[in-house]
Amino acid sequence: MSAPSNTILNLPDQSTAQLPRRNFINAEHGLLSWLFTSDHKRIAILYLISITFFFFIGGAFAGLIRLELLTPQPDLVSSDTYNKFFTMHGIIMIFLFLVPSVPATLGNFLIPMMIGARDLAFPKINLLSWYLYVIGGTLTLTALVLGGVDTGWTFTAPLSTHYLNTHVITTAFAIFVAGFSSVFTGLNFIVTIHRMRCPGMTWFRMPLFVWAHYAASILMVLGTPVLAIAMILIVLERLVGIGVFDPTKGGDPLLFQHLFWFYSHPAVYIMILPGMGVISEVVSTFSRKRIFGYTAVAFSSVAIALFGFFVWEHHMFIMGVSNYSALIFSLLTMLVAVPSAIKIFNWCFTLQMGSITFETPMLYAFGFMGLFTIGGLTGVFLGSLGMDIQLTETYFIVAHFHFVMVGGMLMAFLAGVHFWWPKMTGRMYPESLSKLAAVVTFIGFILTFMPQFVLGYLGMPRRYHAYPPEFQVLNVLSTAGATILGIGYLMPMIYLAWSLKYGAIAGNNPWQATGLEWQTQSPPLTENFTEIPIMDHEAYDYDWLEHKTADEVTHVA
Amino acid sequence: MHSAIANPQADQAQQHEHVSLPQHRHHFATPEQQREAGSFGMWLFLLTEIMFFGGLFFAYLLFRNWYYDAFVTASNQLSVPLGAVNTAILITSGFFMALAVWAAEVRKKNLLVLFLVLTTLLGFAFLGIKADEYHEKYEKHHIPGASFDTSQFINPAAYGLSEKPLAPDAAQKTQLFFFLYFAMTGMHALHMVLGLGILFWLMIRAQRGDFSSGYVAPIENFGLYWHFVDIVWIFLFPLLYLINRHPLAH
Amino acid sequence: MGISPVLWQFLVKWLNASALFPREASTIAPYMDSLYFFLIAITLVGVFLVAALLVTFSIRYRKAVHPVATQVEGSTLLEATWTIIPLGLFLICFVWGALLYFRIYTPPANSSNIYIVGKQWMWKAEHPGGQHEINALHVPVGQPIQLTMISQDVFHSFSIPEFRIKREVIPGRYSTVWFEATTPGSYHLFCTQYCGTNHSAMIGTITALSPADYKKWTEQSTSGMSLAQNGERIFASMGCNACHSGNAAARGPNLAGVYGSRLRLTSGAEVLVNEAYLRDAILNPSQHVTSGYTPIMPTYQGQISEDGLIDLVEYLKNLNTNDRVQQTLTTSQSGQAAPQASGVVKP
């Protein structure tokens, strides 16, 4: 089959092709068959629907925030309402979108398939974690409907414990519950990766996507319980009022900061690592090459996870922590930046000598690499002790965080969704429209968040409802960018939905990718494989794939 | 249950290869793999529990360091005999749980049920004593909150205690001790309550004969959990009851 | 910086005019900005490098010109290069940043002290001379100013972007920061830590004045009573002087000259008496009992406001002799009520 030279896309003949007669989507029917499923793929779809729902709610709040900041005066809503906007934006986006985004959807769907297993080790616990997520999400929405919460997503004590009369308890409990959803997902992944690999699937034959999830899972399992206890203490402090965080009663508000950031810093690695896994898969597939320095990329994920636990205090450099601990935490922060740099360069050099095509997932991956580089390097600004004094708690931090999380993670998520869409649904998304969306997203993103770096150094504090008029130009730019960004995110929503019915039939392996998940039908069977595969080649072995394809052509039934 | 729409061929293949247990989940290649996955998962879960309690231990150590005198005096209010009895009860309960695992492994159904019942009874005994201790704290107004009363620490002589009096500001800090005491033992008790719930379920299943055919994973994994709850108490008892205590003699 | 002063001036002016970074109005600012430019340079190099690699490889190895990929396992040498060079750069950032951090948070010995109290949602500045300001702070240029700050309620953060300083203002403990203004003018003061409803209204103006103007301002705006004088009143009205009279038979330790000294406590610890110690000893006396005394002092938690505590601390800092303490004691014992002092929380 001779493919056009600008794409690797290899679709079956559309006039005869049809979706597999039996697959996980039509295996059972009715809503209940979804709600009581224990199939990791169906749970992944449930997650995909629910996180998309919360993404657009969180996004709506972002839109309202940017709309308010169009003018320096506090004119659109009251200050309390504005405070609720950014709080809900933060809580929904972080706990209900970013943390579960790639792991719970793509990870859930793909990890068992990639390592040649029939399901995750604990399918019922997997379903339980979706229900916990839904309960957490519902509680958050309840808090929102009852009047919202205005603690900021960081729940800073004693503000959250003694000074606010909003629905802090409901929200804290929501996060507690959603946290356990994340713990169980991580636990399931670790056990699955340790115990469920198919014959021949050694640790160093696993796709890097799996390595990245393994590292993120360690963080989920060890970090989230500390957040849980911090949330419990917030709730108890509000209910009983006995000041572990209240200085007038002998408590220590910095204790809360330590407990909170002990989770919430590793949490950003929980969010970004799976995204990095997606990028590894995409870059390899669209350059037809094994990832440059596979081992280094695999170990850098684990290194990020380990170092990630020992840098939390860099959120507290200006809070009067001891100088020695500030030094140590700054140094460790610098060290944790190195594995990310390694990854970026390894991905770049994967392209070298490759045979590169530029389908949508690859465009998103390029976007990721560019934006994550900026996001990562601006993180070095913040890790550098003295610089942090000027930049922390300003829009610089907002911009840095969004470069990593939206520019990095969301780009990776969209890359992954497009890349595996044919596997998940059996149909292709419309290629040129999605390329347009990728470009629009990139432009909108740069326009939204680049001005915020400047605003930050100028000193505009984050979470400000009104601001001095000289900051208006940059804020207007940012809001304009956010509008474009919003369009960029709505487009995939629409055309992906369209493609469910009208997209081209994808066939087993439209991208000619090497992962085990591509060697089976799309959408896959409930049990993933008709027989458990045997991994007899290295990961990203394109020669193996070529021979296999040749074999199949000669042995076609 | 795992989805029943498994591939019939794969099912057949498995039935040829292995002695198929009814509890075997089809996404595991072998029962051995299932058992290993289960116990590995349990260990990981216990790791998250350690992190969970770790936050509280950290807070306790911090404040103990800051308000040493208040913590000493408040700690003297806890009854070492009751704590010690509870420790013994819990260890014995753990011992019966270990025996239950053994009974399951050698497939002795009645013995298994007996040991599970004993484990449960001792669990209830522990909670009963704990409740009695809590009740005493309630009567003495040592429950943190609006009704908390520091007068006993400021003026111990009036209460017939040969305790060193605390200055009022230090006496206030005893409230932190009691808050952490209730938070930590309460969280521990909550784990006990959940454990007892699971024990009942295991008893019913054991009685039904679910664990008489060599399928012991639930018993084993619950054993791990129960021992973990024991171990948490083994840390709580010295931390809360013993290490701050000073001899009343001087 | 090894950069020509002319070029530097040009850069500063140009960037000022296009408002890409705030005015440099303190002695710290140039240090901060040079680190900032260094970091920006690293970022630009990094981004251009990555972009260049992506673009070059995308053109040279696109499928049309390079239809078959050549598999490469990796290269230890290359990977070591991009491990070690970034590591080296990051370590430079670490050392440079640490030096700057210590510079910003270590006040010089000759700095004069101003107290800041943050509360929802205003800043109160208290000059030792008795000038009280709300959401404003007047400072002289050319004189290092140390700020001793505390919050009455929640976390706040005191930020003056043009001075490149910021520090969290925390309930229950003093935090400090210092600066030396270089250019007269008025500058933004922001609360940067989210603190509730009117967080974005917790702003103010820093006015840097020439020493002469500053002198004029101090004279015009004094409340007539210095912090120490107000502290003295509180000291008398709360009855502190009854025990801390400096008499040989007094039940409390002599406080004259105690500031800056090293005290041995009953716990055996030796402590340096600074502002934080004095404040804490008033609120949690039993933890700070000087060796040789009994823990009989009641706590003043909730009875004296943070402003009152500042007055007391300022009073004790300047207390060199007990003459006036004993005088006041005699007067109040002879039936004259001590004058009501502000800063005492009325029940």
Side-chain angles (χ1 to χ4, degrees):
Chain A
M1 189 184 293
S2 70
S5 64
N6 60 353
T7 179
I8 49 166
L9 191 59
N10 183 0
L11 298 180
D13 180 3
Q14 293 298 310
S15 55
T16 55
Q18 51 188 359
L19 290 181
R21 195 176 43 82
R22 211 162 60 82
N23 60 51
F24 79 95
I25 296 173
N26 65 15
E28 289 171 277
H29 294 282
L31 187 62
L32 286 184
S33 78
W34 284 87
L35 293 182
F36 293 107
T37 183
S38 57
D39 179 358
H40 66 106
K41 298 178 289 299
R42 285 184 158 218
I43 295 170
I45 302 291
L46 291 176
Y47 260 118
L48 186 62
I49 295 166
S50 25
I51 71 162
T52 308
F53 171 73
F54 281 108
F55 173 75
F56 281 99
I57 293 186
F61 281 112
L64 289 167
I65 292 170
R66 286 313 325 165
L67 204 56
E68 168 63 63
L69 292 179
L70 208 48
T71 57
Q73 298 81 25
D75 39 17
L76 184 66
V77 291
S78 74
S79 290
D80 275 329
T81 314
Y82 179 79
N83 295 345
K84 285 172 187 167
F85 283 175
F86 70 70
T87 304
M88 293 316 290
H89 170 68
I91 289 174
I92 289 177
M93 283 304 201
I94 286 173
F95 296 110
L96 299 176
F97 176 71
L98 284 170
V99 168
S101 61
V102 169
T105 56
L106 300 174
N108 223 336
F109 196 100
L110 295 163
I111 286 177
M113 303 191 70
M114 282 180 167
I115 62 172
R118 296 203 184 278
D119 204 326
L120 287 173
F122 310 114
K124 280 189 268 182
I125 289 180
N126 195 17
L127 183 65
L128 172 69
S129 54
W130 181 71
Y131 275 104
L132 288 174
Y133 172 86
V134 170
I135 294 169
T138 313
L139 282 170
T140 311
L141 289 181
T142 313
L144 176 66
V145 171
L146 291 178
V149 63
D150 58 350
T151 54
W153 78 273
T154 48
F155 285 86
T156 317
L159 179 70
S160 62
T161 51
H162 291 79
Y163 291 89
L164 295 173
N165 288 317
T166 47
H167 299 273
V168 181
I169 293 179
T170 320
T171 320
F173 189 62
I175 291 172
F176 177 84
V177 175
F180 274 92
S181 147
S182 171
V183 168
F184 287 132
T185 304
L187 191 147
N188 227 333
F189 285 176
I190 294 182
V191 175
T192 307
I193 295 169
H194 268 274
R195 290 278 180 258
M196 308 284 284
R197 282 169 286 131
C198 69
M201 180 63 79
T202 60
W203 282 86
F204 291 100
R205 279 180 176 176
M206 293 194 312
L208 289 164
F209 182 86
V210 180
W211 271 99
H213 275 78
Y214 184 72
S217 302
I218 295 175
L219 291 167
M220 290 187 213
V221 165
L222 294 182
T224 319
V226 181
L227 176 75
I229 199 72
M231 288 299 134
I232 286 185
L233 287 176
I234 288 275
V235 169
L236 288 177
E237 180 95 40
R238 280 185 78 89
L239 288 176
V240 192
I242 168 48
V244 259
F245 302 140
D246 180 3
T248 60
K249 289 181 179 160
D252 183 13
L254 284 182
L255 176 65
F256 176 76
Q257 296 290 317
H258 281 289
L259 291 177
F260 183 81
W261 289 114
F262 184 85
Y263 166 76
S264 294
H265 192 77
V268 304
Y269 300 112
I270 294 178
M271 301 176 217
I272 195 70
L273 276 169
M276 292 171 157
V278 171
I279 300 303
S280 293
E281 299 302 308
V282 170
V283 167
S284 167
T285 302
F286 293 95
S287 50
R288 320 302 305 151
K289 257 188 80 208
R290 181 174 160 86
I291 287 286
F292 189 90
Y294 169 98
T295 332
V297 177
F299 278 132
S300 65
S301 292
V302 180
I304 288 175
L306 295 182
F307 280 119
F309 265 118
F310 301 100
V311 297
W312 78 88
E313 206 185 273
H314 67 211
H315 294 267
M316 304 162 64
F317 282 158
I318 69 162
M319 291 192 182
V321 293
S322 92
N323 286 343
Y324 300 107
S325 69
L327 274 180
I328 290 166
F329 279 92
S330 173
L331 182 62
L332 287 166
T333 305
M334 295 301 170
L335 295 184
V336 81
V338 174
S340 306
I342 296 176
K343 277 180 189 281
I344 289 280
F345 284 113
N346 275 316
W347 289 325
C348 285
F349 272 80
T350 303
L351 301 177
Q352 191 201 18
M353 314 290 280
S355 175
I356 308 165
T357 55
F358 303 95
E359 283 82 0
T360 312
M362 192 61 158
L363 293 189
Y364 277 115
F366 278 12
F368 172 96
M369 283 192 257
L371 300 179
F372 181 76
T373 305
I374 301 177
L377 284 168
T378 50
V380 175
F381 285 53
L382 294 159
S384 176
L385 281 168
M387 201 70 238
D388 184 64
I389 295 175
Q390 171 74 359
L391 298 176
T392 190
E393 298 173 351
T394 68
Y395 262 82
F396 192 94
I397 262 213
V398 177
H400 157 70
F401 187 70
H402 283 83
F403 259 81
V404 180
M405 286 303 137
V406 185
M409 183 59 192
L410 200 50
M411 287 275 174
F413 176 69
L414 287 171
V417 167
H418 283 91
F419 184 58
W420 282 291
W421 190 254
K423 181 50 65 182
M424 288 158 75
T425 65
R427 288 184 184 271
M428 293 304 298
Y429 56 85
E431 184 68 34
S432 38
L433 203 53
S434 63
K435 277 184 174 150
L436 179 67
V439 174
V440 168
T441 314
F442 187 79
I443 294 170
F445 181 85
I446 293 275
L447 189 53
T448 312
F449 293 104
M450 217 36 129
Q452 296 187 0
F453 281 125
V454 183
L455 275 175
Y457 199 68
L458 286 170
M460 179 167 164
R462 69 202 280 214
R463 299 170 168 179
Y464 258 30
H465 179 214
Y467 55 88
E470 66 258 34
F471 297 150
Q472 190 176 9
V473 176
L474 291 165
N475 272 300
V476 169
L477 282 179
S478 183
T479 302
T483 319
I484 301 175
L485 194 56
I487 295 169
Y489 290 141
L490 274 172
M491 287 169 68
M493 173 82 183
I494 295 162
Y495 64 70
L496 287 179
W498 172 89
S499 77
L500 284 177
K501 195 156 166 58
Y502 304 102
I505 303 289
N508 288 4
N509 193 356
W511 306 124
Q512 301 300 300
T514 57
L516 289 182
E517 79 273 24
W518 295 108
Q519 315 311 325
T520 176
Q521 66 174 43
S522 327
L525 290 165
T526 300
E527 64 272 23
N528 294 346
F529 305 99
T530 41
E531 56 188 288
I532 291 291
I534 291 169
M535 186 72 174
D536 52 4
H537 56 278
E538 297 301 313
Y540 312 111
D541 188 340
Y542 290 90
D543 293 336
W544 166 83
L545 184 71
E546 209 166 293
H547 291 132
K548 176 177 172 280
T549 320
D551 283 354
E552 272 170 10
V553 171
T554 48
H555 290 94
V556 73
Chain B
M1 280 298 119
H2 180 240
S3 173
I5 317 295
N7 182 358
Q9 283 172 352
D11 276 348
Q12 277 169 14
Q14 272 172 359
Q15 272 157 17
H16 285 300
E17 278 169 28
H18 315 289
V19 187
S20 183
L21 288 170
Q23 295 85 359
H24 177 75
R25 302 266 194 282
H26 296 295
H27 62 283
F28 290 107
T30 62
E32 193 48 38
Q33 187 189 33
Q34 176 175 353
R35 189 168 162 173
E36 280 178 1
S39 93
F40 187 45
M42 197 64 212
W43 280 106
L44 271 178
F45 178 72
L46 296 183
L47 207 56
T48 71
E49 291 274 23
I50 290 174
M51 296 305 289
F52 185 80
F53 277 99
L56 282 174
F57 278 103
F58 180 78
Y60 175 81
L61 291 175
L62 175 81
F63 290 122
R64 173 178 180 268
N65 207 23
W66 281 10
Y67 308 121
Y68 184 76
D69 289 337
F71 272 47
V72 167
T73 311
S75 165
N76 280 342
Q77 288 300 310
L78 303 182
S79 161
V80 173
L82 286 182
V85 168
N86 251 352
T87 310
I89 288 177
L90 214 50
I91 290 175
T92 319
S93 166
F95 173 69
F96 283 125
M97 190 62 225
L99 286 180
V101 174
W102 167 79
E105 271 165 0
V106 298
R107 307 183 188 193
K108 295 199 166 142
K109 183 179 131 184
N110 292 335
L111 222 46
L112 169 64
V113 174
L114 172 71
F115 288 138
L116 287 179
V117 168
L118 285 172
T119 310
T120 313
L121 287 179
L122 288 170
F124 274 112
F126 177 92
L127 285 179
I129 292 179
K130 201 78 236 161
D132 181 54
E133 287 188 76
Y134 282 0
H135 182 68
E136 188 216 347
K137 300 286 165 293
Y138 171 76
E139 285 185 333
K140 286 184 173 172
H141 294 284
H142 286 169
I143 294 188
S147 66
F148 190 80
D149 186 10
T150 56
S151 54
Q152 191 184 336
F153 303 111
I154 296 170
N155 191 5
Y159 291 81
L161 296 171
S162 59
E163 191 74 58
K164 206 168 69 175
L166 285 178
D169 62 308
Q172 270 304 323
K173 308 299 189 296
T174 55
Q175 198 172 183
L176 273 178
F177 174 86
F178 282 110
F179 176 69
L180 288 165
Y181 165 79
F182 277 105
M184 293 164 94
T185 57
M187 213 58 81
H188 177 257
L190 185 68
H191 279 81
M192 296 275 303
V193 171
L194 292 177
L196 289 173
I198 300 172
L199 267 171
F200 271 113
W201 178 65
L202 288 179
M203 271 191 264
I204 294 168
R205 288 189 64 187
Q207 187 62 41
R208 214 165 59 192
D210 281 10
F211 308 122
S212 312
S213 55
Y215 170 67
V216 295
I219 299 281
E220 260 182 4
N221 291 336
F222 178 78
L224 285 176
Y225 174 82
W226 197 248
H227 296 318
F228 169 79
V229 175
D230 279 10
I231 288 169
V232 170
W233 177 256
I234 302 286
F235 278 92
L236 287 179
F237 177 56
L239 267 185
L240 295 169
Y241 289 71
L242 297 178
I243 58 169
N244 289 325
R245 191 168 285 269
H246 55 84
L248 293 177
H250 78 164
Chain C
M1 287 296 296
I3 186 166
S4 118
V6 180
L7 198 61
W8 183 250
Q9 280 296 314
F10 174 77
L11 258 175
V12 167
K13 281 214 173 105
W14 179 73
L15 285 173
N16 255 328
S18 47
L20 286 177
F21 76 110
R23 282 177 292 174
E24 290 185 327
S26 76
T27 51
I28 290 289
Y31 292 100
M32 182 72 85
D33 288 344
S34 39
L35 175 54
Y36 185 58
F37 292 134
F38 174 71
L39 284 160
I40 287 187
I42 291 186
T43 308
L44 289 179
V45 169
V47 171
F48 278 117
L49 190 61
V50 169
L53 288 173
L54 290 181
V55 170
T56 319
F57 291 153
S58 295
I59 293 170
R60 280 194 57 187
Y61 300 109
R62 64 186 195 276
K63 197 179 180 196
V65 289
H66 198 252
V68 179
T70 318
Q71 297 300 325
V72 183
E73 184 58 29
S75 155
T76 314
L77 185 66
L78 271 176
E79 286 173 53
T81 313
W82 61 63
T83 308
I84 291 167
I85 293 180
L87 179 64
L89 286 172
F90 296 160
L91 287 181
I92 294 174
C93 300
F94 161 68
V95 173
W96 194 338
L99 292 174
L100 184 62
Y101 182 82
F102 291 127
R103 187 186 285 274
I104 296 177
Y105 284 159
T106 317
N110 64 338
S111 50
S112 51
N113 195 27
I114 297 174
Y115 294 92
I116 302 286
V117 178
K119 57 169 284 194
Q120 285 179 327
W121 292 276
M122 63 161 81
W123 293 107
K124 295 187 282 185
E126 317 230 352
H127 298 256
Q131 295 81 4
H132 302 282
E133 302 182 71
I134 286 182
N135 290 341
L137 178 64
H138 287 74
V139 291
V141 298
Q143 160 70 32
I145 304 288
Q146 178 187 330
L147 301 176
T148 302
M149 307 184 289
I150 193 156
S151 164
Q152 239 169 267
D153 36 46
V154 301
F155 279 67
H156 300 285
S157 194
F158 189 92
S159 157
I160 312 173
E162 279 97 344
F163 291 177
R164 313 287 191 274
I165 59 145
K166 180 182 293 138
R167 185 116 211 191
E168 202 83 0
V169 179
I170 299 170
R173 64 171 78 174
Y174 287 127
S175 55
T176 58
V177 68
W178 78 277
F179 58 81
E180 182 183 329
T182 51
T183 325
S186 47
Y187 307 102
H188 285 298
L189 158 62
F190 294 126
C191 171
T192 52
Q193 175 66 275
Y194 173 61
C195 58
T197 308
N198 289 325
H199 168 52
S200 65
M202 193 165 163
I203 56 177
T205 313
I206 308 291
T207 313
L209 300 167
S210 66
D213 287 345
Y214 182 70
K215 194 158 176 291
K216 211 183 293 171
W217 177 83
T218 359
E219 281 156 9
Q220 280 167 359
S221 44
T222 179
S223 60
M225 188 150 63
S226 73
L227 296 187
Q229 284 168 330
N230 199 31
E232 186 176 22
R233 288 196 181 191
I234 299 174
F235 197 74
S237 69
M238 301 303 284
C240 309
N241 51 7
C243 296
H244 298 285
S245 63
N247 292 333
R251 290 189 293 170
N254 176 5
L255 296 179
V258 75
Y259 180 80
S261 69
R262 290 195 155 271
L263 277 188
R264 183 165 290 281
L265 305 182
T266 42
S267 64
E270 200 181 80
V271 291
L272 172 70
V273 179
N274 54 16
E275 288 91 346
Y277 175 85
L278 288 174
R279 178 183 175 280
D280 213 32
I282 297 168
L283 299 179
N284 296 311
S286 71
Q287 286 195 279
H288 305 277
V289 181
T290 313
S291 180
Y293 291 87
T294 43
I296 51 168
M297 177 168 161
T299 169
Y300 289 89
Q301 184 83 56
Q303 299 181 43
I304 310 178
S305 68
E306 289 298 346
D307 307 67
L309 286 167
I310 284 171
D311 294 339
L312 276 175
V313 166
E314 189 63 19
Y315 168 63
L316 294 176
K317 275 171 80 174
N318 295 302
L319 187 68
N320 298 317
T321 147
N322 282 311
D323 296 351
R324 280 172 62 85
V325 176
Q326 283 156 12
Q327 229 172 17
T328 331
L329 193 59
T330 336
T331 354
S332 56
Q333 275 168 350
S334 65
Q336 276 178 297
Q340 184 61 49
S342 70
V344 177
V345 177
K346 286 153 200 96

